[in-house]
Amino acid sequence: MSAEFGEITLQTERLLLRPWRASDAESLYKYASDPRVGPIAGWPVHTSVENSREIIRNVLSAEGNFAVVLKETDEAVGSIGLMIGEASNLELPTGEAEIGYWIGVPLWGRGLIPEAVCELIRYAFEERGIETLWCGYFDGNDKSRRVGEKCGFRYVRSEEKYWPLIDKTVVQHITRLISSNYFI
């Protein structure tokens, strides 16, 4: 079995996926204060650097959350998380997990989040022994849908659900990737 989440850093060609640090608060605010990011992912726009620092401390420091960091600049530009079993928003059993992700607007369209998601998929299946991965996206979030499709997730169902963090009822589309369909 590999190290626990808090001790690991995953790497791709261009990225490090590492635990969030309090020192990431300014870059988190820089990207999470853009209204095009949070609400479509289910969370409110960040209002200050201190708000971002508090979110790192109370939300992003949870097991399974990683800062998406550009190797070339060492800047945290997004977030990715693996929520196993009960930690998921989808009420999953222990051997299953949900992946969530976002990246700052200036980095959209560069293939960075698919790169990060593919690495987290590898980690989940090969090192954590997860059997099934799930990923949800809100209706209209075509960028998130395309990331999932590129990484092998397939549509399963849609459901209307109240999302308290943004105080809104949304249609969430649920996709799935099964470990037996994952090819190294």
mmCIF file of all heavy atoms in Angstrom, residues 29-63:
data_model
loop_
_atom_site.group_PDB
_atom_site.id
_atom_site.type_symbol
_atom_site.label_atom_id
_atom_site.label_comp_id
_atom_site.label_asym_id
_atom_site.label_seq_id
_atom_site.Cartn_x
_atom_site.Cartn_y
_atom_site.Cartn_z
ATOM 1 N N TYR A 29 -6.571 32.373 -4.543
ATOM 2 C CA TYR A 29 -7.487 33.502 -4.706
ATOM 3 C C TYR A 29 -7.444 34.053 -6.132
ATOM 4 O O TYR A 29 -8.486 34.356 -6.721
ATOM 5 C CB TYR A 29 -7.170 34.604 -3.693
ATOM 6 C CG TYR A 29 -8.011 35.833 -3.920
ATOM 7 C CD1 TYR A 29 -9.386 35.794 -3.687
ATOM 8 C CD2 TYR A 29 -7.446 37.010 -4.392
ATOM 9 C CE1 TYR A 29 -10.177 36.914 -3.920
ATOM 10 C CE2 TYR A 29 -8.228 38.127 -4.625
ATOM 11 C CZ TYR A 29 -9.591 38.076 -4.388
ATOM 12 O OH TYR A 29 -10.370 39.174 -4.631
ATOM 13 N N LYS A 30 -6.258 34.146 -6.692
ATOM 14 C CA LYS A 30 -6.083 34.663 -8.057
ATOM 15 C C LYS A 30 -6.980 33.919 -9.046
ATOM 16 O O LYS A 30 -7.602 34.524 -9.917
ATOM 17 C CB LYS A 30 -4.611 34.521 -8.451
ATOM 18 C CG LYS A 30 -4.286 34.895 -9.875
ATOM 19 C CD LYS A 30 -2.774 34.678 -10.094
ATOM 20 C CE LYS A 30 -2.371 34.823 -11.524
ATOM 21 N NZ LYS A 30 -0.923 34.590 -11.702
ATOM 22 N N TYR A 31 -7.071 32.601 -8.917
ATOM 23 C CA TYR A 31 -7.843 31.792 -9.864
ATOM 24 C C TYR A 31 -9.271 31.509 -9.391
ATOM 25 O O TYR A 31 -10.184 31.426 -10.206
ATOM 26 C CB TYR A 31 -7.099 30.484 -10.156
ATOM 27 C CG TYR A 31 -5.778 30.737 -10.828
ATOM 28 C CD1 TYR A 31 -4.584 30.566 -10.141
ATOM 29 C CD2 TYR A 31 -5.722 31.198 -12.141
ATOM 30 C CE1 TYR A 31 -3.362 30.831 -10.755
ATOM 31 C CE2 TYR A 31 -4.509 31.463 -12.759
ATOM 32 C CZ TYR A 31 -3.329 31.278 -12.062
ATOM 33 O OH TYR A 31 -2.134 31.553 -12.664
ATOM 34 N N ALA A 32 -9.481 31.356 -8.092
ATOM 35 C CA ALA A 32 -10.804 30.996 -7.572
ATOM 36 C C ALA A 32 -11.719 32.208 -7.371
ATOM 37 O O ALA A 32 -12.893 32.039 -7.055
ATOM 38 C CB ALA A 32 -10.654 30.224 -6.257
ATOM 39 N N SER A 33 -11.194 33.414 -7.580
ATOM 40 C CA SER A 33 -12.037 34.614 -7.484
ATOM 41 C C SER A 33 -12.725 34.920 -8.816
ATOM 42 O O SER A 33 -13.573 35.813 -8.869
ATOM 43 C CB SER A 33 -11.195 35.815 -7.042
ATOM 44 O OG SER A 33 -10.183 36.104 -7.987
ATOM 45 N N ASP A 34 -12.403 34.185 -9.858
ATOM 46 C CA ASP A 34 -13.031 34.380 -11.165
ATOM 47 C C ASP A 34 -14.407 33.710 -11.154
ATOM 48 O O ASP A 34 -14.505 32.494 -10.915
ATOM 49 C CB ASP A 34 -12.155 33.765 -12.262
ATOM 50 C CG ASP A 34 -12.616 34.123 -13.659
ATOM 51 O OD1 ASP A 34 -13.844 34.003 -13.935
ATOM 52 O OD2 ASP A 34 -11.771 34.493 -14.484
ATOM 53 N N PRO A 35 -15.485 34.444 -11.420
ATOM 54 C CA PRO A 35 -16.832 33.867 -11.351
ATOM 55 C C PRO A 35 -17.113 32.789 -12.403
ATOM 56 O O PRO A 35 -18.112 32.093 -12.310
ATOM 57 C CB PRO A 35 -17.755 35.073 -11.537
ATOM 58 C CG PRO A 35 -16.920 36.118 -12.180
ATOM 59 C CD PRO A 35 -15.499 35.875 -11.750
ATOM 60 N N ARG A 36 -16.228 32.614 -13.368
ATOM 61 C CA ARG A 36 -16.414 31.559 -14.376
ATOM 62 C C ARG A 36 -15.959 30.198 -13.874
ATOM 63 O O ARG A 36 -16.186 29.192 -14.533
ATOM 64 C CB ARG A 36 -15.647 31.909 -15.652
ATOM 65 C CG ARG A 36 -16.196 33.138 -16.369
ATOM 66 C CD ARG A 36 -15.312 33.559 -17.496
ATOM 67 N NE ARG A 36 -14.101 34.170 -16.956
ATOM 68 C CZ ARG A 36 -13.092 34.631 -17.686
ATOM 69 N NH1 ARG A 36 -13.138 34.534 -19.001
ATOM 70 N NH2 ARG A 36 -12.044 35.192 -17.119
ATOM 71 N N VAL A 37 -15.339 30.140 -12.701
ATOM 72 C CA VAL A 37 -14.764 28.884 -12.208
ATOM 73 C C VAL A 37 -15.643 28.205 -11.153
ATOM 74 O O VAL A 37 -16.157 27.118 -11.374
ATOM 75 C CB VAL A 37 -13.334 29.112 -11.652
ATOM 76 C CG1 VAL A 37 -12.761 27.821 -11.084
ATOM 77 C CG2 VAL A 37 -12.421 29.659 -12.731
ATOM 78 N N GLY A 38 -15.786 28.811 -9.996
ATOM 79 C CA GLY A 38 -16.440 28.164 -8.859
ATOM 80 C C GLY A 38 -17.891 27.767 -9.043
ATOM 81 O O GLY A 38 -18.247 26.599 -8.848
ATOM 82 N N PRO A 39 -18.769 28.699 -9.413
ATOM 83 C CA PRO A 39 -20.188 28.357 -9.482
ATOM 84 C C PRO A 39 -20.506 27.192 -10.432
ATOM 85 O O PRO A 39 -21.353 26.356 -10.115
ATOM 86 C CB PRO A 39 -20.833 29.660 -9.949
ATOM 87 C CG PRO A 39 -19.921 30.727 -9.408
ATOM 88 C CD PRO A 39 -18.540 30.142 -9.557
ATOM 89 N N ILE A 40 -19.807 27.075 -11.552
ATOM 90 C CA ILE A 40 -20.068 25.969 -12.484
ATOM 91 C C ILE A 40 -19.515 24.643 -11.934
ATOM 92 O O ILE A 40 -19.879 23.570 -12.383
ATOM 93 C CB ILE A 40 -19.517 26.283 -13.903
ATOM 94 C CG1 ILE A 40 -20.090 25.338 -14.951
ATOM 95 C CG2 ILE A 40 -17.999 26.238 -13.942
ATOM 96 C CD1 ILE A 40 -21.507 25.625 -15.336
ATOM 97 N N ALA A 41 -18.638 24.755 -10.912
ATOM 98 C CA ALA A 41 -18.088 23.560 -10.263
ATOM 99 C C ALA A 41 -18.761 23.280 -8.916
ATOM 100 O O ALA A 41 -18.458 22.286 -8.268
ATOM 101 C CB ALA A 41 -16.577 23.717 -10.071
ATOM 102 N N GLY A 42 -19.666 24.170 -8.494
ATOM 103 C CA GLY A 42 -20.435 23.900 -7.280
ATOM 104 C C GLY A 42 -19.961 24.587 -6.023
ATOM 105 O O GLY A 42 -20.377 24.228 -4.931
ATOM 106 N N TRP A 43 -19.123 25.600 -6.145
ATOM 107 C CA TRP A 43 -18.667 26.333 -4.963
ATOM 108 C C TRP A 43 -18.633 27.829 -5.255
ATOM 109 O O TRP A 43 -18.514 28.245 -6.400
ATOM 110 C CB TRP A 43 -17.319 25.827 -4.460
ATOM 111 C CG TRP A 43 -16.266 25.590 -5.499
ATOM 112 C CD1 TRP A 43 -16.028 24.420 -6.165
ATOM 113 C CD2 TRP A 43 -15.309 26.524 -6.006
ATOM 114 N NE1 TRP A 43 -14.984 24.583 -7.049
ATOM 115 C CE2 TRP A 43 -14.519 25.863 -6.969
ATOM 116 C CE3 TRP A 43 -15.045 27.868 -5.745
ATOM 117 C CZ2 TRP A 43 -13.493 26.489 -7.656
ATOM 118 C CZ3 TRP A 43 -14.008 28.498 -6.428
ATOM 119 C CH2 TRP A 43 -13.249 27.802 -7.372
ATOM 120 N N PRO A 44 -18.752 28.656 -4.196
ATOM 121 C CA PRO A 44 -18.825 30.101 -4.398
ATOM 122 C C PRO A 44 -17.469 30.719 -4.758
ATOM 123 O O PRO A 44 -16.412 30.181 -4.416
ATOM 124 C CB PRO A 44 -19.320 30.631 -3.055
ATOM 125 C CG PRO A 44 -18.997 29.585 -2.070
ATOM 126 C CD PRO A 44 -18.961 28.272 -2.803
ATOM 127 N N VAL A 45 -17.531 31.848 -5.418
ATOM 128 C CA VAL A 45 -16.350 32.628 -5.766
ATOM 129 C C VAL A 45 -15.621 33.016 -4.482
ATOM 130 O O VAL A 45 -16.248 33.410 -3.496
ATOM 131 C CB VAL A 45 -16.800 33.891 -6.548
ATOM 132 C CG1 VAL A 45 -15.646 34.840 -6.770
ATOM 133 C CG2 VAL A 45 -17.452 33.494 -7.870
ATOM 134 N N HIS A 46 -14.307 32.910 -4.496
ATOM 135 C CA HIS A 46 -13.515 33.329 -3.333
ATOM 136 C C HIS A 46 -13.511 34.852 -3.260
ATOM 137 O O HIS A 46 -13.416 35.535 -4.281
ATOM 138 C CB HIS A 46 -12.089 32.800 -3.438
ATOM 139 C CG HIS A 46 -12.005 31.325 -3.247
ATOM 140 N ND1 HIS A 46 -10.882 30.701 -2.756
ATOM 141 C CD2 HIS A 46 -12.901 30.328 -3.469
ATOM 142 C CE1 HIS A 46 -11.084 29.397 -2.692
ATOM 143 N NE2 HIS A 46 -12.309 29.150 -3.131
ATOM 144 N N THR A 47 -13.602 35.390 -2.047
ATOM 145 C CA THR A 47 -13.779 36.822 -1.859
ATOM 146 C C THR A 47 -12.528 37.567 -1.407
ATOM 147 O O THR A 47 -12.497 38.790 -1.455
ATOM 148 C CB THR A 47 -14.909 37.079 -0.844
ATOM 149 O OG1 THR A 47 -14.571 36.401 0.383
ATOM 150 C CG2 THR A 47 -16.246 36.554 -1.367
ATOM 151 N N SER A 48 -11.511 36.841 -0.948
ATOM 152 C CA SER A 48 -10.274 37.480 -0.483
ATOM 153 C C SER A 48 -9.196 36.412 -0.333
ATOM 154 O O SER A 48 -9.486 35.214 -0.317
ATOM 155 C CB SER A 48 -10.486 38.171 0.869
ATOM 156 O OG SER A 48 -10.756 37.193 1.865
ATOM 157 N N VAL A 49 -7.960 36.859 -0.172
ATOM 158 C CA VAL A 49 -6.862 35.920 0.086
ATOM 159 C C VAL A 49 -7.125 35.187 1.397
ATOM 160 O O VAL A 49 -6.894 33.977 1.501
ATOM 161 C CB VAL A 49 -5.496 36.645 0.105
ATOM 162 C CG1 VAL A 49 -4.385 35.708 0.554
ATOM 163 C CG2 VAL A 49 -5.180 37.219 -1.274
ATOM 164 N N GLU A 50 -7.637 35.896 2.389
ATOM 165 C CA GLU A 50 -7.934 35.248 3.679
ATOM 166 C C GLU A 50 -9.028 34.195 3.517
ATOM 167 O O GLU A 50 -8.962 33.131 4.126
ATOM 168 C CB GLU A 50 -8.327 36.289 4.736
ATOM 169 C CG GLU A 50 -8.565 35.680 6.112
ATOM 170 C CD GLU A 50 -7.427 34.795 6.626
ATOM 171 O OE1 GLU A 50 -6.251 35.152 6.473
ATOM 172 O OE2 GLU A 50 -7.716 33.711 7.188
ATOM 173 N N ASN A 51 -10.041 34.475 2.698
ATOM 174 C CA ASN A 51 -11.084 33.492 2.400
ATOM 175 C C ASN A 51 -10.459 32.249 1.770
ATOM 176 O O ASN A 51 -10.769 31.113 2.153
ATOM 177 C CB ASN A 51 -12.132 34.121 1.484
ATOM 178 C CG ASN A 51 -13.209 33.168 1.020
ATOM 179 O OD1 ASN A 51 -13.482 33.092 -0.178
ATOM 180 N ND2 ASN A 51 -13.848 32.449 1.923
ATOM 181 N N SER A 52 -9.538 32.443 0.831
ATOM 182 C CA SER A 52 -8.859 31.311 0.197
ATOM 183 C C SER A 52 -8.008 30.550 1.205
ATOM 184 O O SER A 52 -7.978 29.312 1.196
ATOM 185 C CB SER A 52 -7.990 31.787 -0.974
ATOM 186 O OG SER A 52 -8.792 32.248 -2.034
ATOM 187 N N ARG A 53 -7.335 31.254 2.105
ATOM 188 C CA ARG A 53 -6.519 30.607 3.139
ATOM 189 C C ARG A 53 -7.411 29.736 4.041
ATOM 190 O O ARG A 53 -7.062 28.616 4.388
ATOM 191 C CB ARG A 53 -5.768 31.657 3.953
ATOM 192 C CG ARG A 53 -4.769 31.076 4.929
ATOM 193 C CD ARG A 53 -3.899 32.139 5.613
ATOM 194 N NE ARG A 53 -2.994 32.749 4.635
ATOM 195 C CZ ARG A 53 -3.103 34.005 4.166
ATOM 196 N NH1 ARG A 53 -4.060 34.800 4.592
ATOM 197 N NH2 ARG A 53 -2.243 34.467 3.281
ATOM 198 N N GLU A 54 -8.575 30.271 4.390
ATOM 199 C CA GLU A 54 -9.529 29.526 5.223
ATOM 200 C C GLU A 54 -10.028 28.276 4.483
ATOM 201 O O GLU A 54 -10.171 27.204 5.084
ATOM 202 C CB GLU A 54 -10.695 30.441 5.583
ATOM 203 C CG GLU A 54 -11.725 29.812 6.486
ATOM 204 C CD GLU A 54 -12.850 30.796 6.799
ATOM 205 O OE1 GLU A 54 -12.560 31.984 7.053
ATOM 206 O OE2 GLU A 54 -14.013 30.360 6.765
ATOM 207 N N ILE A 55 -10.270 28.388 3.184
ATOM 208 C CA ILE A 55 -10.727 27.244 2.396
ATOM 209 C C ILE A 55 -9.623 26.189 2.289
ATOM 210 O O ILE A 55 -9.898 24.986 2.356
ATOM 211 C CB ILE A 55 -11.258 27.705 1.031
ATOM 212 C CG1 ILE A 55 -12.588 28.444 1.261
ATOM 213 C CG2 ILE A 55 -11.435 26.534 0.063
ATOM 214 C CD1 ILE A 55 -13.130 29.201 0.091
ATOM 215 N N ILE A 56 -8.383 26.626 2.161
ATOM 216 C CA ILE A 56 -7.272 25.656 2.187
ATOM 217 C C ILE A 56 -7.288 24.916 3.515
ATOM 218 O O ILE A 56 -7.206 23.688 3.557
ATOM 219 C CB ILE A 56 -5.906 26.355 1.966
ATOM 220 C CG1 ILE A 56 -5.792 26.838 0.512
ATOM 221 C CG2 ILE A 56 -4.754 25.412 2.318
ATOM 222 C CD1 ILE A 56 -4.591 27.733 0.243
ATOM 223 N N ARG A 57 -7.413 25.640 4.601
ATOM 224 C CA ARG A 57 -7.374 25.070 5.944
ATOM 225 C C ARG A 57 -8.557 24.133 6.216
ATOM 226 O O ARG A 57 -8.383 23.042 6.748
ATOM 227 C CB ARG A 57 -7.351 26.218 6.962
ATOM 228 C CG ARG A 57 -7.007 25.842 8.359
ATOM 229 C CD ARG A 57 -6.785 27.045 9.299
ATOM 230 N NE ARG A 57 -7.645 28.194 9.060
ATOM 231 C CZ ARG A 57 -7.230 29.378 8.581
ATOM 232 N NH1 ARG A 57 -5.963 29.575 8.292
ATOM 233 N NH2 ARG A 57 -8.080 30.375 8.407
ATOM 234 N N ASN A 58 -9.764 24.536 5.798
ATOM 235 C CA ASN A 58 -10.971 23.798 6.193
ATOM 236 C C ASN A 58 -11.535 22.856 5.134
ATOM 237 O O ASN A 58 -12.352 22.002 5.470
ATOM 238 C CB ASN A 58 -12.064 24.788 6.599
ATOM 239 C CG ASN A 58 -11.668 25.591 7.810
ATOM 240 O OD1 ASN A 58 -10.979 25.116 8.697
ATOM 241 N ND2 ASN A 58 -12.081 26.853 7.842
ATOM 242 N N VAL A 59 -11.152 23.018 3.876
ATOM 243 C CA VAL A 59 -11.725 22.202 2.800
ATOM 244 C C VAL A 59 -10.630 21.471 2.029
ATOM 245 O O VAL A 59 -10.612 20.246 1.954
ATOM 246 C CB VAL A 59 -12.578 23.061 1.831
ATOM 247 C CG1 VAL A 59 -13.124 22.213 0.693
ATOM 248 C CG2 VAL A 59 -13.708 23.766 2.571
ATOM 249 N N LEU A 60 -9.711 22.246 1.470
ATOM 250 C CA LEU A 60 -8.730 21.654 0.559
ATOM 251 C C LEU A 60 -7.647 20.839 1.267
ATOM 252 O O LEU A 60 -6.938 20.067 0.630
ATOM 253 C CB LEU A 60 -8.098 22.743 -0.314
ATOM 254 C CG LEU A 60 -9.085 23.448 -1.241
ATOM 255 C CD1 LEU A 60 -8.395 24.580 -1.986
ATOM 256 C CD2 LEU A 60 -9.732 22.466 -2.207
ATOM 257 N N SER A 61 -7.528 20.993 2.576
ATOM 258 C CA SER A 61 -6.557 20.185 3.317
ATOM 259 C C SER A 61 -7.104 18.793 3.640
ATOM 260 O O SER A 61 -6.389 17.957 4.193
ATOM 261 C CB SER A 61 -6.135 20.892 4.603
ATOM 262 O OG SER A 61 -7.246 21.035 5.463
ATOM 263 N N ALA A 62 -8.351 18.520 3.268
ATOM 264 C CA ALA A 62 -8.940 17.201 3.504
ATOM 265 C C ALA A 62 -8.192 16.134 2.705
ATOM 266 O O ALA A 62 -7.638 16.399 1.632
ATOM 267 C CB ALA A 62 -10.417 17.201 3.115
ATOM 268 N N GLU A 63 -8.204 14.943 3.233
ATOM 269 C CA GLU A 63 -7.541 13.821 2.576
ATOM 270 C C GLU A 63 -8.021 13.672 1.135
ATOM 271 O O GLU A 63 -9.213 13.741 0.860
ATOM 272 C CB GLU A 63 -7.846 12.525 3.348
ATOM 273 C CG GLU A 63 -7.140 11.326 2.773
ATOM 274 C CD GLU A 63 -7.392 10.081 3.582
ATOM 275 O OE1 GLU A 63 -8.582 9.698 3.732
ATOM 276 O OE2 GLU A 63 -6.428 9.479 4.053
#
